[in-house]
């Protein structure tokens, strides 16, 4: 019984280390998003940190339009980054979870 418990604890610790390594790796995964007309481009990491924003001179003439472009394009990029982040972390967590009868955590 205690051997099983120690094995599970080791597996959980190993999984925690893999999750942390995955989080670090996601800092290097870049998500690029453009507005539909290409006037605004944003780049952020899969951990949702903004790395770059490129704005066309045309957008600098209209503050309200620029604000709309920023909100829309950043929201799309954040959604894509969140999907990548959650998928990667869930895969690592599922792979490393011990099989505990009656606890189907990842169906």
């Amino acid at each position: 019984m205690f051997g099983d418990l120690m094995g599970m604890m080791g597996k959980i610790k190993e999984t925690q280390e893999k999750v942390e390594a995955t989080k670090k790796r996601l800092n290097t995964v870049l998500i690029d998003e453009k507005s539909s007309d290409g006037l605004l481009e944003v780049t952020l990491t899969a951990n949702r940190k903004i790395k770059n924003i490129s704005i066309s001179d045309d957008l600098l003439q209209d503050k309200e339009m620029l604000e709309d472009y920023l909100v829309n394009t950043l929201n799309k990029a954040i959604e894509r980054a969140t999907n990548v982040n959650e998928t990667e972390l869930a895969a690592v967590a599922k792979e490393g979870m011990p099989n505990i009868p009656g606890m189907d955590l990842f169906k």
Side-chain angles (χ1 to χ4, degrees):
M1 177 177 159
F2 288 112
D4 290 343
L5 183 59
M6 293 303 290
M8 279 195 292
M9 295 303 288
K11 186 93 168 157
I12 290 171
K13 182 175 175 21
E14 182 181 316
T15 300
Q16 287 174 329
E17 290 169 358
K18 286 181 179 179
V19 165
E20 289 305 313
T22 300
K23 285 180 181 179
K24 283 184 182 178
R25 184 179 59 77
L26 290 173
N27 281 327
T28 66
V29 175
L30 299 178
I31 308 296
D32 294 314
E33 186 67 45
K34 291 182 182 181
S35 61
S36 58
D37 55 10
L39 296 178
L40 178 74
E41 297 178 34
V42 299
T43 301
L44 52 135
T45 69
N47 282 329
R48 298 171 298 269
K49 300 292 183 198
I50 297 171
K51 298 302 265 182
N52 186 52
I53 297 176
S54 177
I55 303 169
S56 166
D57 289 339
D58 296 342
L59 283 177
L60 296 176
Q61 309 306 316
D62 186 339
K63 180 180 183 274
E64 285 183 26
M65 185 170 21
L66 174 57
E67 290 168 346
D68 289 343
Y69 269 69
L70 282 167
V71 168
N72 291 329
T73 307
L74 283 169
N75 280 333
K76 284 185 213 172
I78 290 167
E79 183 178 339
R80 287 182 54 212
T82 298
N83 288 338
V84 169
N85 184 290
E86 289 175 354
T87 300
E88 293 283 328
L89 291 176
V92 171
K94 182 178 181 180
E95 170 189 314
M97 288 302 292
N99 185 17
I100 302 171
M103 292 190 69
D104 297 325
L105 298 175
F106 297 100
K107 276 193 168 184

